[in-house]
Amino acid sequence: MSLLETIASPADLKSLNRAQLKELSDELRQYILSSVAETGGHLASNLGVVELTVALHKVFDTPEDRIVWDVGHQTYAHKILTGRRERMHTLRQTDGLSGFPKRDESPYDAFVAGHSSTSISAALGMAVAARLKGEERRVVAVIGDGAMTAGMAFEALNNAGAMDTNLLVILNDNDMSISANVGALNSYLTKLLSGRFYNNLRSRGEKILSNLPPVYELARRAEEHIKGMVTPGTLFEEFGFNYLGPIDGHDLDALIPTLVNIRALKGPQFLHVVTRKGKGYDLAEANPCLYHGVGKFNVEVGVTPKVAPRPTYTEVFGRWLCDMAAADERLVGITPAMCEGSGMTEFTQRFPERYFDVGIAEQHALTFAAGLACEGQKPVVAIYSTFLQRAYDQLIHDVALQGLPVLLAIDRAGLVGADGATHAGAFDLTFLRCIPNLLIAVPSDENECRCLLTTAFHYDGPSAVRYPRGTGPGAECSASFETFPIGKGVLRRSGKDIAILAFGAPLGAAMQAAEALDASVADMRFVKPLDRELLRQLAESHARLATIEENAVMGGAGSAVAEALAEMGITIPLLHLGLPDRFVEHGDPAVLMARCGLDATGIERSIRDWALPT
């Protein structure tokens, strides 16, 4: 039996000596590698955080002590050590373990963290709650993988440093590596600076010298100067944190004593830990970006690029972006840290001077785009639907209110499969539709995606084109820059009695269902402005109407249809099909669509049950 197999909970780590913990870390890393190879998931970040996870659960008394992970895709080692090892084969699968922390999955998951940069705020709330209740628990926020680029993290640091609350923030810095000499020196200094002797001496010195202000200020500046020579912590000290580090995040002999020392300290503490993404797997260390998120793969061979049978919507966007940039030098491309995911790699190579990655800073991305638009540029912001939610105020106040020509290329609209509820683009039509001046287009295939992107780019105002993850039906894309009449849909099939109004990607399933129902199908193309003329024609020539969208039913495209019919004084039975009023969990995309009733069978069944009740 391996050492890992004896670990049922973090309590089992308490009796292990340092040598055993190192052995456990090696086994844990290999288990993560083999497990993710079978299921797919986030690999490089999880390989890099193994020793830190072991040390945290060794030193802190979880789940009584709280650990908040940020971003949540670095928690596989945490899941394995907290009683979920035997379920790792279900990771990100339908009805299986989530790829992110999930409060109703385990008491050890203190906070859901699918989006980044939330850990310090949440952990501060937990620490303050413990103080208000007179509880002695410790709270740790582990933030990394670029999450410190977001303004929210610094807002939380600013607040936490002024509250004198017992909070430990660990910066998991995996952007660089420490050389052996520097690592050893900094590990020694960090253990020294976190120890009781130094902190007691520091505390007593403050009390004595506080009565001699000039001397106290001189001593304070001297301490900052000495720390500044060996650590990069001045910024965090200014926020009110006691900065410690950097420390080698793979050295348990440094990590554990340091965490033990810090656990005994009062007030806000900041520990800078340096780890290496992909640690222990040469291929992932050499290319951590490729191994950030992977599908199933052979460990010996490594990840082999999959050749899709047809281009994904993301690739369609990427090709259009390059073509349009070549045709219009005003185009600039902006992404909040999602270059590869949004299909912008070729654009960065061909037009580097017009490419801007602003980091995990969605709010800034929108207002930055607004500033560019004010000066005559044509910004295209490539952003996931779920991340656009974080920039809602900027979209309204800085872009739409001023009527600026900023194009939102909204990827991952609708369900996203294995990434689950935290990443699903379930709400964009609902929260976008109420914004004045905003054009909203919903392509149903690859060519429509290209044409609607072109249409929106030439629109003199803010616009959004939303498209799903993955491949479309296989429509051949035109190489030209064809545009569509704004606010006009097209009738795809003529039938009897029932007309289905399809918005975007569900058109294919609607067409299949219509064959069995002998229903008419309209490809609406636009949610705003809505094709009211086509809507009136369909209402006058059919007995019933049904709408379908891969968006929340509440307030979505179907609601726009209902509102338009009411305004036109048309009364007709109307069925809304879309995502249900709940968060849809992770799993196989086809299974999830079927469960939501949005596959062809589900659409047909829902319409029959509604139109032809028994």
Side-chain angles (χ1 to χ4, degrees):
M1 177 181 290
S2 68
L3 188 56
L4 180 59
E5 290 176 303
T6 68
I7 306 300
S9 75
D12 296 324
L13 299 178
K14 306 301 182 183
S15 61
L16 299 184
N17 59 37
R18 201 70 55 78
Q20 289 173 311
L21 291 173
K22 293 176 182 178
E23 179 184 346
L24 176 67
S25 297
D26 291 339
E27 292 181 8
L28 187 54
R29 180 168 281 111
Q30 290 304 310
Y31 190 86
I32 291 172
L33 180 58
S34 60
S35 178
V36 174
E38 294 180 2
T39 63
H42 292 96
L43 182 62
S45 57
N46 283 290
L47 293 177
V49 79
V50 168
E51 287 84 4
L52 177 58
T53 306
V54 169
L56 284 169
H57 281 298
K58 168 72 172 179
V59 173
F60 291 90
D61 297 322
T62 55
E64 179 63 22
D65 289 336
R66 313 291 198 231
I67 301 177
V68 181
W69 297 92
D70 184 354
V71 186
H73 61 228
Q74 59 178 332
T75 55
Y76 294 3
H78 163 78
K79 286 176 181 279
I80 293 167
L81 294 176
T82 54
R84 287 168 276 182
R85 175 175 53 83
E86 294 184 355
R87 294 191 63 208
M88 285 297 288
H89 69 281
T90 71
L91 185 74
R92 293 161 50 92
Q93 312 298 306
T94 306
D95 300 325
L97 290 178
S98 170
F100 302 93
K102 193 175 179 184
R103 281 168 54 85
D104 60 4
E105 184 178 285
S106 170
Y108 291 92
D109 292 359
F111 199 76
V112 173
H115 292 186
S116 81
S117 317
T118 60
S119 59
I120 304 175
S121 298
L124 177 60
M126 294 174 187
V128 170
R131 185 182 67 191
L132 292 174
K133 294 188 290 183
E135 297 170 345
E136 289 298 321
R137 73 165 52 97
R138 311 298 292 187
V139 183
V140 182
V142 184
I143 184 168
D145 210 24
M148 284 299 294
T149 62
M152 184 175 178
F154 287 92
E155 291 173 17
L157 284 173
N158 183 57
N159 190 203
M163 296 184 71
D164 198 30
T165 300
N166 295 333
L167 171 68
L168 169 59
V169 175
I170 297 178
L171 172 59
N172 175 26
D173 180 356
N174 50 27
D175 239 353
M176 54 175 283
S177 59
I178 306 177
S179 64
N181 291 334
V182 176
L185 173 63
N186 277 295
S187 294
Y188 171 75
L189 287 170
T190 301
K191 284 190 286 185
L192 177 66
L193 294 174
S194 67
R196 288 191 177 185
F197 174 79
Y198 170 80
N199 280 277
N200 285 339
L201 182 63
R202 184 175 187 264
S203 178
R204 291 173 186 171
E206 285 181 353
K207 290 180 181 178
I208 296 171
L209 296 177
S210 62
N211 295 318
L212 302 169
V215 179
Y216 172 75
E217 179 63 17
L218 178 64
R220 185 186 67 80
R221 292 191 177 190
E223 181 195 33
E224 288 183 357
H225 179 69
I226 293 170
K227 274 190 170 184
M229 289 193 297
V230 294
T231 67
T234 305
L235 172 64
F236 303 107
E237 293 276 4
E238 291 298 326
F239 274 114
F241 280 77
N242 179 37
Y243 173 89
L244 303 161
I247 189 171
D248 186 345
H250 302 297
D251 183 359
L252 288 171
D253 291 329
L255 276 172
I256 292 175
T258 299
L259 289 173
V260 169
N261 288 339
I262 291 175
R263 195 178 189 282
L265 299 180
K266 300 294 184 181
Q269 310 294 323
F270 192 101
L271 176 62
H272 184 172
V273 173
V274 178
T275 62
R276 186 174 182 85
K277 266 190 164 186
K279 174 72 173 178
Y281 184 46
D282 291 344
L283 294 174
E285 286 191 36
N287 194 345
C289 185
L290 176 63
Y291 285 85
H292 171 72
V294 298
K296 299 178 183 181
F297 70 100
N298 185 306
V299 174
E300 300 299 324
V301 176
V303 172
T304 54
K306 290 185 177 179
V307 180
R310 48 189 179 273
T312 64
Y313 280 101
T314 301
E315 291 170 336
V316 170
F317 163 73
R319 293 172 186 174
W320 171 85
L321 187 68
C322 289
D323 291 345
M324 186 57 74
D328 192 332
E329 63 181 13
R330 297 174 301 165
L331 185 150
V332 293
I334 302 169
T335 178
M338 298 304 296
C339 174
E340 293 82 10
S342 293
M344 300 181 73
T345 303
E346 183 182 350
F347 181 81
T348 68
Q349 298 165 354
R350 293 180 56 186
F351 306 96
E353 73 285 354
R354 287 192 268 162
Y355 167 72
F356 300 95
D357 183 343
V358 301
I360 303 176
E362 294 86 0
Q363 298 98 320
H364 167 60
L366 267 291
T367 305
F368 173 56
L372 284 162
C374 283
E375 299 301 322
Q377 301 300 119
K378 296 281 286 185
V380 177
V381 181
I383 190 167
Y384 289 8
S385 172
T386 187
F387 300 143
L388 177 59
Q389 296 162 182
R390 310 186 82 175
Y392 193 51
D393 176 66
Q394 288 72 22
L395 175 57
I396 294 174
H397 186 274
D398 300 336
V399 177
L401 181 64
Q402 303 183 89
L404 295 172
V406 174
L407 167 56
L408 302 176
I410 305 175
D411 205 332
R412 271 63 165 181
L415 300 182
V416 290
D419 282 338
T422 59
H423 283 59
F427 313 109
D428 56 83
L429 290 183
T430 299
F431 68 70
L432 291 175
R433 196 172 63 80
C434 61
I435 301 177
N437 302 327
L438 186 64
L439 173 75
I440 307 173
V442 284
S444 62
D445 62 35
E446 298 90 337
N447 189 55
E448 275 198 357
C449 186
R450 181 179 174 91
C451 294
L452 286 172
L453 284 166
T454 303
T455 303
F457 182 77
H458 290 304
Y459 176 66
D460 188 22
S463 58
V465 179
R466 58 109 68 175
Y467 42 90
R469 183 177 192 171
T471 57
E476 184 176 351
C477 287
S478 169
S480 64
F481 294 116
E482 181 184 356
T483 60
F484 291 156
I486 291 177
K488 294 297 180 181
V490 291
L491 189 66
R492 295 293 188 187
R493 187 184 191 280
S494 296
K496 302 175 182 177
D497 298 327
I498 299 169
I500 303 173
L501 284 68
F503 291 88
L507 176 68
M511 291 289 286
Q512 293 180 49
E515 290 292 330
L517 297 165
D518 193 17
S520 296
V521 179
D523 175 5
M524 297 303 291
R525 289 184 175 169
F526 294 89
V527 174
K528 187 176 185 178
L530 195 65
D531 191 339
R532 295 165 73 97
E533 181 181 346
L534 178 58
L535 176 58
R536 180 187 292 277
Q537 293 173 2
L538 294 172
E540 291 176 348
S541 58
H542 295 77
R544 296 172 180 267
L545 299 179
T547 64
I548 180 169
E549 59 193 296
E550 197 173 339
N551 183 83
V553 167
M554 299 180 70
S559 294
V561 170
E563 292 164 11
L565 289 170
E567 289 176 7
M568 292 187 289
I570 299 173
T571 301
I572 186 172
L574 180 62
L575 174 67
H576 297 310
L577 299 177
L579 298 179
D581 186 25
R582 58 179 173 82
F583 291 103
V584 179
E585 298 298 342
H586 57 278
D588 180 85
V591 173
L592 298 180
M593 292 295 282
R595 287 184 176 181
C596 293
L598 295 181
D599 62 343
T601 301
I603 295 169
E604 179 189 348
R605 181 175 60 249
S606 295
I607 292 177
R608 285 191 185 279
D609 292 345
W610 165 68
L612 304 170
T614 56

